[in-house]
Amino acid sequence: MTIAQQSKRLDLSEMAYIDRLTRVGFIELSADAPRCAGIVSRSAKTSGNGGDKGCGFWLLLGGINKLCGIIGYIGNRDAIPEIIAGLRKLEYRGYDSAGVAVLAEEKLWFQKKEGRLAILEEHLEDAPYSNIGIGHTRWATHGVPSDENAHPHVDCSRDFAVIHNGIIENYARLRQRLIEKGHTFTSQTDTEVLAHLVEDCFRGNLLTAVQEVVGHLQGSYALAVVSRKDPHKIVAVRKDSPLVVGLGEGEYFLASDIPAVLSRTNKFYILDDGEMAVLTSEGVSLLNAKGNGITKEVFLVDWDPHQAEKNGYPHFMIKEINEQPRALRDTMRGRIVDNRVDFSELKLDKFLDRVSKIFIVACGTAYHAGMVGKHLIEKLAKIPVEVDIASEFRYREVLWPQDSILIVVSQSGETADTLAVLREAKRKGIKVLAVTNVVGSSVARESDAVIHTWAGPEISVASTKAYSTQLLIMYMLAIFLAERRNVMDSAAIEDMVQDLAAIPEKIEEFLEDVSSVEAIADKYSQASSAFFLGRGLDYMLVLEGALKLKEISYIHAEAYAAGELKHGTLALIEEGVPVISLITQEDLEDKMMSNIKEVKARKGTIIGVTKRDMTETIRECDEVILIPVVKSIFSPLVSVVPLQLLAYNIAVARGCDVDKPRNLAKSVTVE
């Protein structure tokens, strides 16, 4: 069935059937489901904030990424090769096990293994041919990485197989109730509860069984189910966890991320919370949370799938470091007009003009960008700003002053703690501005206004270009607010915007020769610990530098405000310990040099990252990485690049898996 054929209206004779599906919306794919596969849809290509950018590409490719990966396939090909190919595209997320399940000759066949996909593939030789199946890569939350805890999970009779992203918060109560009914569990996971629940609720129709199951669940989930008792369909549902359906010619795909199946189709349905899906060889049907048939636009992804490949680079991370000038230019495009920051399309004046206080909340790397944002907004726009980690902020008794607003920063737009803060602020009546890389993400949809970063798909778990574009948005927002509040004159605004527009060229200048970084990385790659020091804006940047080093090289790394050395940190400085010192703020240079001499007196080794014109600093350092001359306020946009490169090259020298660091995932969508 073609996409055009799928666009026929739902047969009214089936409305009574659909009306019974009252718990959640759904998509159902099944060979026998033309009755519920007719969905009114239209192809659409919408414009993003970048003006000439198609929303199709940026909708999910910019970063809807999860702890785990979901793939489903039904069509005219052998399912297992399609599933494995999709899972391979999701390896960048980080995972500890993988598995597949297919239906063949009225039997459910499944295999799952701890470790990399290659280990699973070694055990697929006896897999039957099938044109329907599901697959999963797991990152452990409940239960250690093991074959038993890997997905898919099956019920007692092995009639049903389930894969799941997210966390079922009430799984312990559900598990105990099912055990009392006689169900036997073989894993430690919350997901296995779903398989037994489907078995318990099944009355001959997989869709209605899953619909009943969802009514029992508390938590977040994107899940997909197949059954040998209702064998010609995949039933899927999402809540707080991304899920998309790919529309091919005679074949249909389910995925937690668009790149997983982009080589097969560029047409997608994007599920919203509470919606379910049924995929069949005849088409796709969608229902909302009330069980009514719904229409959705078919989003066309206007993007070459090879953009997500390494393009000759040895790792995605180094590719993405080198993409930062382009990402910054894309993020500025259409937003800098006549030497002014132009956010007119966002209509930010609706709630920014009278703002009395700003809260910035984020996690990890995005939190570090928020710290820079606090400094800039207070300095330029004269608005008090409080910045906090989302996982801490959400449990505070926050005092929201009148006319305060919340800015949330999230690369993926699906970060669980950040979303929780956003939703609590909305309940309190606080306006929310989002900074995210993903159009259509939960953060983007639920905020009052959104400033999208146009970093493009970031595959490496360690964030680089997403962070740089978040920083850039903080600069642009601070300048925008300063002008609207009349606290900076026009000439100063123009000068700042011109300097900002020149930053991509400065980064390109630095990237032309990074041999000094590579040499230093080789020399100190076997260090067991490293310290990072900075003052002012430099302190905020060394926090990010230390995070990058520890997450991809596994070297113990800590960042400190240099003035805190005498308050305890000096006890850890000894001969040969590398101390990466960021020195780009002229007004703090003398203070910083005093701290450097304290380190040198304890025989620590100073690796200085400084500007080419700061000659006194250069003389005091044991090793030097020079960045182009920029005004102090703009140095973070340039100085972060050598910190990223230092971490990258040290990790490579140590033989680490740079793009998929252990125990980490691209986006943390569970608490």
Side-chain angles (χ1 to χ4, degrees), residues 264-278:
R264 291 300 190 195
T265 181
N266 70 338
K267 302 177 180 70
F268 292 90
Y269 289 137
I270 298 155
L271 299 190
D272 291 314
D273 277 352
E275 293 176 352
M276 294 183 70
V278 183

Side-chain angles (χ1 to χ4, degrees), residues 9 35 41 100 211 245 325 426 454 487 540 550 585 665:
R9 286 192 177 274
R35 56 195 175 117
S41 64
V100 298
Q211 171 256 334
V245 177
K426 296 283 287 183
W454 298 117
V487 293
M540 300 162 199
K550 70 179 75 172
Q585 305 296 301

Side-chain angles (χ1 to χ4, degrees), residues 282-297:
E282 297 297 323
V284 178
S285 47
L286 305 168
L287 273 75
N288 63 17
K290 295 181 179 179
N292 299 320
I294 59 173
T295 65
K296 271 188 175 291
E297 292 180 337

Side-chain angles (χ1 to χ4, degrees), residues 17 39 51 125 127 134 154 214 235 292 308 321 343 371 474 585 621:
Y17 168 77
I39 303 165
E125 293 181 359
I134 54 178
V154 298
V214 170
V235 178
N292 299 320
I321 289 172
F343 283 142
M371 292 182 71
M474 293 300 162
Q585 305 296 301
C621 298

Side-chain angles (χ1 to χ4, degrees), residues 109 111-113 118-127:
W109 186 94
Q111 184 61 268
K112 51 186 185 172
K113 289 292 176 183
I119 297 174
L120 174 65
E121 290 182 85
E122 292 173 359
H123 294 80
L124 298 179
E125 293 181 359
D126 298 330

Side-chain angles (χ1 to χ4, degrees), residues 36-287:
C36 56
I39 303 165
V40 180
S41 64
R42 68 178 185 273
S43 296
K45 189 175 179 182
T46 59
S47 296
N49 290 333
D52 59 346
K53 292 181 171 61
C55 179
F57 162 54
W58 299 105
L59 193 74
L60 286 171
L61 291 173
I64 282 192
N65 302 307
K66 278 194 51 59
L67 296 177
C68 310
I70 282 177
I71 294 291
Y73 175 80
I74 187 167
N76 48 25
R77 307 175 196 260
D78 188 2
I80 284 184
E82 296 298 314
I83 293 168
I84 294 298
L87 292 178
R88 193 171 289 117
K89 295 289 187 181
L90 296 175
E91 283 192 284
Y92 65 86
R93 296 163 173 247
Y95 67 101
D96 51 56
S97 59
V100 298
V102 296
L103 299 171
E105 299 178 353
E106 299 182 356
K107 294 181 180 179
L108 175 64
W109 186 94
F110 66 95
Q111 184 61 268
K112 51 186 185 172
K113 289 292 176 183
E114 179 186 356
R116 297 296 190 191
L117 272 175
I119 297 174
L120 174 65
E121 290 182 85
E122 292 173 359
H123 294 80
L124 298 179
E125 293 181 359
D126 298 330
Y129 178 89
S130 171
N131 68 351
I132 176 174
I134 54 178
H136 191 266
T137 50
R138 175 182 186 254
W139 189 85
T141 54
H142 294 66
V144 299
S146 68
D147 291 355
E148 293 78 11
N149 288 334
H151 298 210
H153 285 284
V154 298
D155 63 306
C156 299
S157 59
R158 298 193 173 189
D159 290 332
F160 306 91
V162 178
I163 55 177
H164 162 236
N165 288 353
I167 286 181
I168 305 304
E169 295 175 357
N170 61 331
Y171 87 99
R173 292 192 298 275
L174 294 172
R175 180 184 177 112
Q176 184 57 40
R177 193 179 309 158
L178 289 162
I179 290 173
E180 291 170 359
K181 286 187 172 186
H183 290 262
T184 301
F185 286 78
T186 61
S187 80
Q188 302 166 297
T189 68
D190 55 336
T191 301
E192 190 183 358
V193 165
L194 301 175
H196 292 280
L197 268 179
V198 174
E199 179 187 20
D200 199 58
C201 296
F202 186 76
R203 305 289 185 273
N205 186 294
L206 184 61
L207 173 61
T208 55
V210 174
Q211 171 256 334
E212 185 176 345
V213 165
V214 170
H216 294 292
L217 303 183
Q218 297 172 13
S220 62
Y221 47 82
L223 61 91
V225 189
V226 294
S227 172
R228 73 177 187 88
K229 289 190 171 183
D230 195 358
H232 304 297
K233 64 183 68 169
I234 303 171
V235 178
V237 59
R238 81 152 274 182
K239 178 180 180 291
D240 299 329
S241 195
L243 205 55
V244 301
V245 177
L247 309 172
E249 292 294 335
E251 59 184 358
Y252 304 93
F253 304 85
L254 188 71
S256 48
D257 206 348
I258 280 179
V261 296
L262 190 58
S263 62
R264 291 300 190 195
T265 181
N266 70 338
K267 302 177 180 70
F268 292 90
Y269 289 137
I270 298 155
L271 299 190
D272 291 314
D273 277 352
E275 293 176 352
M276 294 183 70
V278 183
L279 291 73
T280 78
S281 59
E282 297 297 323
V284 178
S285 47
L286 305 168
L287 273 75

Side-chain angles (χ1 to χ4, degrees), residues 240-412:
D240 299 329
S241 195
L243 205 55
V244 301
V245 177
L247 309 172
E249 292 294 335
E251 59 184 358
Y252 304 93
F253 304 85
L254 188 71
S256 48
D257 206 348
I258 280 179
V261 296
L262 190 58
S263 62
R264 291 300 190 195
T265 181
N266 70 338
K267 302 177 180 70
F268 292 90
Y269 289 137
I270 298 155
L271 299 190
D272 291 314
D273 277 352
E275 293 176 352
M276 294 183 70
V278 183
L279 291 73
T280 78
S281 59
E282 297 297 323
V284 178
S285 47
L286 305 168
L287 273 75
N288 63 17
K290 295 181 179 179
N292 299 320
I294 59 173
T295 65
K296 271 188 175 291
E297 292 180 337
V298 175
F299 282 97
L300 299 178
V301 179
D302 184 16
W303 183 60
D304 179 355
H306 294 294
Q307 259 186 275
E309 302 302 325
K310 297 175 185 175
N311 291 345
Y313 289 97
H315 301 95
F316 282 112
M317 184 178 178
I318 188 63
K319 172 179 177 284
E320 289 159 6
I321 289 172
N322 280 276
E323 288 175 343
Q324 287 177 114
R326 188 273 307 158
L328 293 173
R329 288 190 178 102
D330 284 350
T331 301
M332 284 188 277
R333 185 171 293 124
R335 294 166 169 168
I336 291 183
V337 180
D338 297 329
N339 292 324
R340 292 288 191 278
V341 175
D342 184 356
F343 283 142
S344 57
E345 84 278 8
L346 302 178
K347 298 181 173 57
L348 296 182
D349 55 307
K350 289 183 177 180
F351 61 96
L352 285 185
D353 280 353
R354 295 183 302 170
V355 61
S356 62
K357 183 175 181 178
I358 294 174
F359 294 84
I360 300 177
V361 176
C363 300
T365 286
Y367 167 70
H368 296 155
M371 292 182 71
V372 177
K374 168 185 168 66
H375 180 99
L376 297 172
I377 293 171
E378 289 185 339
K379 180 179 181 65
L380 301 181
K382 313 302 181 187
I383 301 172
V385 180
E386 183 177 327
V387 61
D388 209 342
I389 298 168
S391 58
E392 292 295 318
F393 190 86
R394 65 183 291 192
Y395 296 111
R396 284 175 46 194
E397 292 292 332
V398 181
L399 303 177
W400 298 97
Q402 186 177 7
D403 295 325
S404 60
I405 67 165
L406 171 69
I407 299 176
V408 293
V409 188
S410 170
Q411 186 275 140
S412 69

